[in-house]
């Protein structure tokens, strides 16, 4: 069978070459209007695009033959993945193609920031000289902090270590072994911010990473730190940067990404600051990177059309789930339980046991993918999915052990995660109770019934009168209502585990007030919103 592919957005010519070698006919039109694209897309089995074309639900109504959509790059914000999935169309990307280019750009930004290269270039081109104004600083023997030790963060670490920098990192999902292989010392985020001279971030933008550097936490930042962001706009609070520079908290900032692209007038005001250097999202913009992603996507699509391999698929398992209603609630449960685990586990845990009993044991493979997706969702790129979750886990050195049993105990179908003896919460079990009703039913042998939804405060406490009242009183003082409560204990007078669902997200100050209550320990705030 012969296939046809539509190549859009000036994808590198090597893409057409690879398709030709694989027996796929290609068409490379110029810029198409929306109406023209609606007419054209009906003729093709595959579409390759970059960021210039948007694949909408309306457009897909006309894509009767389409089997695969391929993004020659990482970001898939311009593709309606749910609509594609509903039509059984695979969506693929090439997340590894820009690793080296982004790492190199990050290193270039570190050096440019240290030696005032952009500012001094502009001065000399303008007819000036003034060497004293551009006195720089060496990176040798300085401390570089990396947030996110995945592929790009790891490559930055290797390169800047060659410049004589001491490398430190925060990534709760990497292991000591992985960090050690790079010559990197792991720290928690607070310690990292107070220690390093340079900070480079390589994480997605999430509720946990948004505003990682801001006026609110300026007292935690080592004075004179230099910031680099080639990951996602908003990790540093842009509007706060001029003040942090003015008061000496920050010595300089290098930005390649912004909360709005192109930048808004307000962001341009920030970029006018002489201590800020900036580039127009060039991390993946190299000839080599564009060629790599073009080669990768052509081969991936060809493999998929030939039913050989589905590497790079973002929704392959989702499509299979649409035709298997039995597995869908278990996958939802696995992801939710994984997301809870990711928020309560100790940093840099490297060994986990997943147990599946009853009917869930039939789907152990995909449920492990679901757990890992949930666990890593706050720390890995937006391309994380059921297909690649194991890849990201392996990349961080995580060891997974799976066991199955056809017979449940108290609950027929159960998913259980064990975290190890060093974790404050060592074992969590959860079950499906009904449509969209997923609950944790046991924590460390304590019977508990906790719906996996909303915002949850979980803690251990002495089983004595007044403990719940103390926590409830602290929440009430902040006008935070308790929506549901579950408490488990081994026996009268023993320790207990308490979990409450609250009606709003907690701020750091509100959370810290709970942690200070006498008799309450191992407090964890979990957001499933």
């Amino acid at each position: 069978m012969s296939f046809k592919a539509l190549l859009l957005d000036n994808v590198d010519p090597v893409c057409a070459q690879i398709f030709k070698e694989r027996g796929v006919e290609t068409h490379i039109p110029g810029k198409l209007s929306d109406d023209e694209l609606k007419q054209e897309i009906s003729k093709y089995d595959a579409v390759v695009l970059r960021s210039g074309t948007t694949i909408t639900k309306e457009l897909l109504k006309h894509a009767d033959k389409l089997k695969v959509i391929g993004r020659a790059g990482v970001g898939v914000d311009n593709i309606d993945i749910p609509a594609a999935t509903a039509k059984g169309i695979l969506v693929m990307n090439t997340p590894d193609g820009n690793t080296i280019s982004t790492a190199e750009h990050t290193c270039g930004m570190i050096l440019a920031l240290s030696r005032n290269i952009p500012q001094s270039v502009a001065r000399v081109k303008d007819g000036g000289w003034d060497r004293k104004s551009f006195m720089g600083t060496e990176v040798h023997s300085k401390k570089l902090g990396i947030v996110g030790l995945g592929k790009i963060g790891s490559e930055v670490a290797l390169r800047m270590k060659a410049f004589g920098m001491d490398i430190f990192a925060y990534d709760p999902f990497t292991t000591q072994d992985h960090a050690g292989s790079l010559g990197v010392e792991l720290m928690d985020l607070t310690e990292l911010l107070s220690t390093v001279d340079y900070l480079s971030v390589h994480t997605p933008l999430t509720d946990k990473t948004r505003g990682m550097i801001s006026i609110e936490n300026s007292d935690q930042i080592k004075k004179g730190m230099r910031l680099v962001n080639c990951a996602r706009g908003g990790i540093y609070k842009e509007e706060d940067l001029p003040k942090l520079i003015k008061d000496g908290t920050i010595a300089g900032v290098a930005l390649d990404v912004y909360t709005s692209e192109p930048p808004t007038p307000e962001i341009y005001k920030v970029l006018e600051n002489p201590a800020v250097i900036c580039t127009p999202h060039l991390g993946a913009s190299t000839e080599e990177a564009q060629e790599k992603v073009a080669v990768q996507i052509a081969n991936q699509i060809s493999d998929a059309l030939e039913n050989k391999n589905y590497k790079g698929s973002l929704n392959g398992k989702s499509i299979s789930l649409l035709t298997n209603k039995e597995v869908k609630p278990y996958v939802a449960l696995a992801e939710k339980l994984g997301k809870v685990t990711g928020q309560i586990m100790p940093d840099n845990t490297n060994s986990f046991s997943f147990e599946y009993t009853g009917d869930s044991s039939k789907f152990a493979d995909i449920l492990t993918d679901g757990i890992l997706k949930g666990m890593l969702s706050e720390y890995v790129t937006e391309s994380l999915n059921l297909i690649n979750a194991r890849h990201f886990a392996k990349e961080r050195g995580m060891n997974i052990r799976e066991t199955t049993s056809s017979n449940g105990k108290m609950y027929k179908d159960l998913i259980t995660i064990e975290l190890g003896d060093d974790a404050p919460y060592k074992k969590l079990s959860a079950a499906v109770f009904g449509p969209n009703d997923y609950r944790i039913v046991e924590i460390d042998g304590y019977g508990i019934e906790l719906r996996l939804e909303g915002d949850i405060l979980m803690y251990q406490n002495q089983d004595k009168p007044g403990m719940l009242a103390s926590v409830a009183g602290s929440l009430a003082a902040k006008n935070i209502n308790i929506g549901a409560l579950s408490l488990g204990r081994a026996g009268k007078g023993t320790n207990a585990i308490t979990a409450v669902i609250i009606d709003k997200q907690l701020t750091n100050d509100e959370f810290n007030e709970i942690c200070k209550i006498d008799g309450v320990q191992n407090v964890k705030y979990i957001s499933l919103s």
Side-chain angles (χ1 to χ4, degrees):
M1 179 183 288
S2 60
F3 299 104
K4 296 175 67 176
L6 180 65
L7 310 189
L8 302 172
D9 301 338
N10 295 314
V11 66
D12 192 282
V14 73
C15 187
Q17 179 184 329
I18 297 296
F19 272 130
K20 183 178 180 180
E21 293 171 0
R22 299 289 300 265
V24 177
E25 181 185 339
T26 59
H27 178 52
I28 309 172
K31 178 68 176 175
L32 297 176
S33 67
D34 289 345
D35 288 338
E36 288 171 334
L37 185 54
K38 287 176 183 176
Q39 290 181 344
E40 280 293 308
I41 202 167
S42 64
K43 307 172 186 176
Y44 296 93
D45 303 283
V47 171
V48 179
L49 67 152
R50 293 171 63 195
S51 58
T53 300
T54 300
I55 303 292
T56 63
K57 183 177 182 180
E58 177 62 30
L59 176 62
L60 290 173
K61 291 179 181 177
H62 303 268
D64 297 329
K65 289 180 59 180
L66 198 61
K67 301 175 181 64
V68 189
I69 301 168
R71 168 68 161 94
V74 179
V76 288
D77 296 343
N78 54 329
I79 302 171
D80 190 331
I81 295 179
T85 302
K87 288 203 67 167
I89 299 170
L90 281 174
V91 178
M92 295 181 155
N93 72 344
T94 54
D96 298 335
N98 66 347
T99 297
I100 299 302
S101 61
T102 303
E104 288 185 352
H105 193 69
T106 301
C107 296
M109 293 289 259
I110 292 171
L111 297 173
L113 186 63
S114 302
R115 301 303 298 269
N116 300 307
I117 292 172
Q119 302 94 322
S120 58
V121 166
R123 179 68 59 85
V124 175
K125 282 179 175 287
D126 199 36
W129 194 247
D130 195 13
R131 295 171 61 193
K132 289 185 179 179
S133 297
F134 302 113
M135 181 69 70
T137 183
E138 295 181 0
V139 298
H140 188 272
S141 297
K142 300 296 193 305
K143 296 180 174 66
L144 170 63
I146 296 175
V147 178
L149 206 58
K151 283 188 178 296
I152 296 173
S154 296
E155 293 292 345
V156 171
L158 289 171
R159 283 157 177 74
M160 296 317 297
K161 194 165 188 64
F163 276 83
M165 298 193 85
D166 298 319
I167 316 295
F168 304 85
Y170 167 71
D171 184 331
F173 285 97
T174 201
T175 62
Q176 296 286 352
D177 286 346
H178 174 63
S181 70
L182 300 169
V184 174
E185 181 179 337
L186 293 174
M187 292 180 167
D188 64 37
L189 184 58
T190 301
E191 185 181 7
L192 189 77
L193 295 181
S194 65
T195 300
V196 300
D197 306 297
Y198 293 75
L199 185 72
S200 183
V201 289
H202 301 281
T203 67
L205 181 66
T206 68
D207 288 339
K208 291 185 180 296
T209 62
R210 183 178 285 104
M212 183 182 293
I213 297 293
S214 66
I215 290 172
E216 284 78 10
N217 70 340
S218 60
D219 60 329
Q220 300 175 2
I221 300 169
K222 182 178 179 180
K223 200 168 183 66
M225 184 188 291
R226 289 173 169 83
L227 307 177
V228 179
N229 186 1
C230 295
R232 287 291 180 270
I235 296 177
Y236 304 146
K237 197 170 182 180
E238 290 157 339
E239 61 267 35
D240 288 359
L241 295 177
K243 185 178 186 304
L244 293 171
I245 291 168
K246 185 176 181 180
D247 68 18
T249 302
I250 300 301
V253 182
L255 300 175
D256 185 48
V257 289
Y258 313 89
T259 51
S260 179
E261 296 182 4
T264 62
E266 291 77 15
I267 296 174
Y268 273 120
K269 280 283 186 185
V270 173
L271 303 183
E272 289 175 0
N273 191 295
V276 177
I277 66 173
C278 47
T279 50
H281 203 150
L282 298 179
S285 293
T286 63
E287 294 175 3
E288 292 85 355
Q290 293 308 310
E291 183 176 325
K292 283 178 189 174
V293 296
V295 169
Q296 287 178 10
I297 202 63
N299 280 315
Q300 287 173 201
I301 289 176
S302 298
D303 284 345
L305 291 173
E306 296 170 12
N307 292 318
K308 288 183 177 179
N309 196 309
Y310 301 94
K311 179 184 177 182
S313 170
L314 301 178
N315 65 341
K317 288 185 181 177
S318 299
I319 290 172
S320 67
L321 291 179
L322 288 177
T323 60
N324 189 341
K325 294 182 179 179
E326 185 182 4
V327 71
K328 289 172 71 174
Y330 294 119
V331 173
L333 175 66
E335 287 194 27
K336 287 178 179 291
L337 186 60
K339 196 163 187 178
V340 170
T341 304
Q343 295 178 68
I344 68 170
M345 59 182 268
D347 288 353
N348 314 122
T349 303
N350 67 349
S351 294
F352 305 87
S353 294
F354 302 159
E355 181 181 14
Y356 308 102
T357 60
D359 288 343
S360 71
S361 64
K362 296 184 295 185
F363 313 113
D365 183 52
I366 194 170
L367 296 185
T368 292
D369 296 332
I371 291 172
L372 293 173
K373 179 187 174 191
M375 289 174 65
L376 294 166
S377 60
E378 294 293 324
Y379 302 94
V380 179
T381 64
E382 72 282 352
S383 60
L384 176 70
N385 58 76
L386 294 172
I387 303 291
N388 60 23
R390 286 188 196 242
H391 165 76
F392 284 114
K394 184 178 180 181
E395 177 182 287
R396 283 162 169 75
M398 295 168 67
N399 298 311
I400 309 300
R401 184 170 67 91
E402 297 172 315
T403 58
T404 60
S405 172
S406 57
N407 298 315
K409 297 177 183 178
M410 184 178 295
Y411 294 89
K412 178 176 176 289
D413 305 309
L414 210 60
I415 299 178
T416 299
I417 299 176
E418 289 191 51
L419 296 172
D421 294 337
D422 294 334
Y425 299 96
K426 301 171 179 59
K427 187 175 182 180
L428 294 84
S429 298
V432 178
F433 275 59
N436 299 313
D437 187 354
Y438 311 102
R439 306 186 194 185
I440 290 179
V441 295
E442 187 176 293
I443 302 175
D444 293 347
Y446 293 78
I448 200 165
E449 197 169 296
L450 174 66
R451 288 184 71 116
L452 291 169
E453 60 185 22
D455 296 283
I456 301 167
L457 192 66
M458 188 163 74
Y459 57 90
Q460 299 167 349
N461 60 272
Q462 300 171 16
D463 184 33
K464 64 180 183 180
M467 295 306 303
L468 179 58
S470 297
V471 174
S474 179
L475 292 170
K478 303 291 185 181
N479 199 31
I480 300 172
N481 189 48
I482 293 177
L485 164 72
S486 185
L487 185 148
R489 65 179 185 177
K492 185 185 295 185
T494 61
N495 287 333
I497 292 177
T498 304
V500 294
I501 296 178
I502 52 181
D503 286 353
K504 67 178 284 290
Q505 293 188 342
L506 290 181
T507 65
N508 287 335
D509 289 342
E510 291 164 347
F511 175 77
N512 290 332
E513 285 297 315
I514 303 294
C515 295
K516 293 176 183 176
I517 297 174
D518 186 41
V520 171
Q521 60 186 2
N522 292 322
V523 184
K524 298 292 182 182
Y525 169 57
I526 303 157
S527 179
L528 298 175
S529 300

